């Protein structure tokens, strides 16, 4: 007789991880929304410095990193949760807040991990469709909030569609949310967003709404995806306490803590990366639009492209892969007929545009725009 598993294991959707790690070095890795830049040398040195001490458990209070984030954002350390990636905090929030009878509200498609929270807990997921421009429809979301709502997730900018909603609209939404429901503003890509302004702007919202949590990560703009460090700035202490209760101690290793602390000291590098990424994104968006495809108004380090109506997404993906370009299919992210493409190095972006330009004429329904192609 096979071993038995909890019923929820059958309900939990598998996370759509990127494939192609086996293809070797000559591949444009545009599938996972990381930055193409490696860490600054000082971050590598900080990691080296802590390695001789790895016989000891890490500081379970993460005080150096917590203090560094507290200094940067003006939020008391007790209201800062740290996680093994921001996903860790998200899953812990689901565990701490959801149960059968409770409801969780989020837009769809949004970050692929959101459906996990309801499936793991038995709570009712309420998925609210994005609007016609693939943005969050906050009015429609507000209408879904009930006494049973425990958690609301707003992915801003939204993964996979790259779109952001303005903070005054988020504030108007928060006015409509009862104080018993926690709202997580998932800001994994906020540093790239011109709509959201600077990274302090949403922190101001925490003053007015104790039920608000800002979820952020070192995986994107700080370039530390492999070290898995995320954090949450919380409107009140209780969120941080609850997510710490449900997790194992020592969830953040010493190398990750040291790297994150050092990375925070190099805001000049962060700004350079944002500037370079935005310039490359604008060029990429234009090149894809010049091919005659619709591209969402991106506020992130990736773009969201609609394929011609009758395109076979699987074969588009395969043709790109055959040309050494890895991107993410919309179908794996909740919306058929689209591609999510991370902004990479200029050479990688160019390779994607060239490959797409080559394969599109064979795609049913594709109309080549009049004029010169890139
Ligand atoms: C919207 C969003 N939130 C959270 C995460 C999780 O990031 P991490 O766990 O690497 O911090 C991601 C990762 O891609 C994301 O796209």
């Amino acid at each position: 007789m096979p071993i038995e598993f909890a019923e929820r294991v059958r309900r939990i959707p598998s996370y759509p991880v990127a494939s192609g790690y086996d293809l070797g070095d000559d591949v444009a890795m545009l599938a996972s929304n990381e930055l193409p830049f490696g860490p600054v040398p000082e971050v590598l040195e900080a990691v080296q410095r802590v390695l001789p001490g790895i016989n000891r458990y890490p500081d379970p209070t993460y005080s150096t990193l917590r203090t560094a984030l507290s200094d940067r954002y003006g939020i008391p350390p007790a209201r800062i949760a740290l996680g093994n990636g921001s996903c860790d905090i998200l899953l812990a929030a689901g565990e701490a807040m959801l149960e059968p009878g409770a409801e969780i509200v989020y837009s769809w498609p949004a970050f692929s991990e959101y459906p996990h929270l309801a499936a793991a807990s038995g709570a009712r997921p309420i998925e609210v469709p994005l609007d016609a421009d693939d943005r969050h429809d906050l009015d429609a979301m507000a209408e879904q909030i009930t006494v049973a709502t425990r958690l609301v997730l707003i992915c801003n900018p939204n993964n996979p569609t790259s779109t952001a909603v303005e903070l005054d609209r988020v504030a108007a939404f928060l006015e409509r949310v009862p104080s018993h429901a926690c709202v997580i503003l998932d800001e994994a890509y906020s540093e790239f967003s011109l709509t959201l302004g600077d990274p302090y702007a949403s922190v101001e919202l925490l003053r007015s709404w104790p039920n608000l949590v800002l979820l952020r990560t070192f995986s994107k703009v700080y370039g530390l995806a492999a070290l898995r460090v995320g954090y949450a700035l919380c409107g009140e202490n209780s969120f941080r306490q609850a997510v710490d209760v449900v997790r194992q101690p020592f969830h953040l290793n010493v190398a990750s803590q040291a790297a994150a602390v050092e990375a925070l000291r190099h805001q000049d590098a962060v700004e350079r990366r944002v500037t370079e990424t935005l310039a490359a994104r604008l060029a990429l968006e234009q090149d894809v639009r010049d091919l005659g495809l619709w591209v969402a108004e991106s506020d992130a380090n990736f773009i969201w492209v609609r394929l011609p109506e009758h395109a076979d997404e699987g074969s588009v993906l395969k043709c790109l892969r055959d040309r050494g370009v890895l991107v993410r299919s919309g179908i794996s992210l909740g919306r058929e007929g689209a591609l999510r493409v991370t902004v990479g190095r200029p050479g990688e972006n160019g390779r994607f545009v060239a490959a797409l330009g080559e394969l599109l004429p064979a795609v049913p329904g594709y109309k080549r725009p009049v004029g010169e192609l890139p």
Side-chain angles (χ1 to χ4, degrees):
M1 196 154 148
I3 53 174
E4 286 181 7
F5 296 95
E7 201 261 318
R8 66 176 181 281
V9 172
R10 280 190 289 279
R11 290 195 307 252
I12 295 176
S14 308
Y15 183 81
V17 285
S19 58
Y21 287 87
D22 51 335
L23 290 181
D25 291 336
D26 186 27
V27 175
M29 298 281 271
L30 308 180
S32 293
N33 291 352
E34 308 119 330
L35 283 204
F37 314 103
V40 295
E42 291 88 343
V43 166
L44 291 180
E45 286 159 22
V47 169
Q48 292 286 350
R49 275 199 298 278
V50 296
L51 292 181
I54 58 173
N55 53 312
R56 302 279 178 207
Y57 284 107
D59 165 12
T61 65
Y62 318 110
S63 58
T64 312
L65 179 54
R66 218 189 274 278
T67 305
L69 286 166
S70 171
D71 291 345
R72 180 160 165 71
Y73 292 110
I75 299 292
R79 281 168 42 200
I80 298 176
L82 296 172
N84 193 247
S86 56
C87 257
D88 183 33
I89 302 173
L90 197 58
L91 295 182
E95 199 177 338
M97 299 178 137
L98 299 178
E99 57 198 343
E103 293 175 356
I104 171 171
V105 177
Y106 53 89
S107 271
W108 196 251
F111 182 39
S112 316
E113 200 62 14
Y114 296 170
H116 180 116
L117 274 66
S121 62
R124 192 158 88 93
I126 301 187
E127 297 186 344
V128 179
L130 299 173
D131 71 12
D133 294 322
D134 283 348
R135 285 175 205 280
H136 274 61
D137 184 342
L138 293 180
D139 285 334
M141 288 180 79
E143 279 160 22
Q144 294 300 327
I145 293 171
T146 69
V147 284
T149 308
R150 291 265 176 86
L151 203 49
V152 180
L153 307 175
I154 300 176
C155 193
N156 204 32
N158 187 39
N159 176 10
T161 63
S162 76
T163 52
V165 286
E166 297 81 4
L167 283 184
D168 53 354
R169 293 180 54 212
V170 173
F173 171 81
L174 290 167
E175 290 282 3
R176 298 175 65 182
V177 179
S179 58
H180 74 267
C182 173
V183 178
I184 296 185
L185 212 49
D186 184 345
E187 300 190 316
Y189 305 96
S190 62
E191 292 89 348
F192 301 103
S193 172
L194 299 178
T195 299
L196 299 183
D198 67 57
Y200 298 100
S202 55
V203 176
E204 282 301 306
L205 299 176
L206 294 172
R207 289 183 201 277
S208 310
W209 285 283
N211 58 336
L212 179 64
V213 171
L214 308 180
L215 188 65
R216 295 187 175 181
T217 183
F218 283 86
S219 298
K220 309 296 176 183
V221 84
Y222 289 99
L224 300 181
L227 288 184
R228 316 295 303 119
V229 191
Y231 61 101
L233 307 175
C234 314
E236 62 174 52
N237 295 3
S238 62
F239 181 91
R240 202 263 312 149
Q241 285 162 346
V243 293
D244 281 352
V245 163
V246 297
R247 289 179 298 168
Q248 61 158 331
F250 312 116
H251 46 257
L252 203 52
N253 72 66
V254 274
S256 304
Q257 292 182 50
V261 169
E262 188 60 35
L264 280 175
R265 297 195 179 113
H266 299 276
Q267 294 302 321
D268 49 339
V270 168
E271 279 167 28
R272 259 197 324 276
R273 286 159 177 216
V274 169
T275 308
E276 280 180 39
T277 304
L278 294 193
R281 189 193 75 210
L282 288 171
L284 176 61
E285 284 172 320
Q286 193 53 48
D287 286 348
V288 177
R289 287 190 179 121
D290 287 348
L291 289 170
L293 299 185
W294 181 90
V295 181
E297 288 297 329
S298 177
D299 245 313
N301 66 327
F302 57 93
I303 64 169
W304 177 245
V305 182
R306 281 193 201 146
L307 291 171
E309 206 177 334
H310 301 293
D312 173 354
E313 199 177 302
S315 54
V316 169
L317 232 74
K318 181 174 177 315
C319 288
L320 289 171
R321 195 185 157 104
D322 290 347
R323 290 167 170 81
V325 178
L326 294 179
V327 301
R328 203 57 87 83
S329 76
I331 203 162
S332 68
L333 301 172
R335 172 76 59 78
E336 204 173 341
L339 298 178
R340 192 194 69 189
V341 186
T342 306
V343 177
R345 295 187 181 283
E348 295 177 302
N349 304 335
R351 193 165 166 183
F352 163 71
V353 174
L356 193 62
E358 269 170 42
L359 67 88
L360 276 174
V363 168
Y366 175 63
K367 285 198 192 63
R368 205 185 173 109
V370 186
E372 258 183 55
L373 293 178

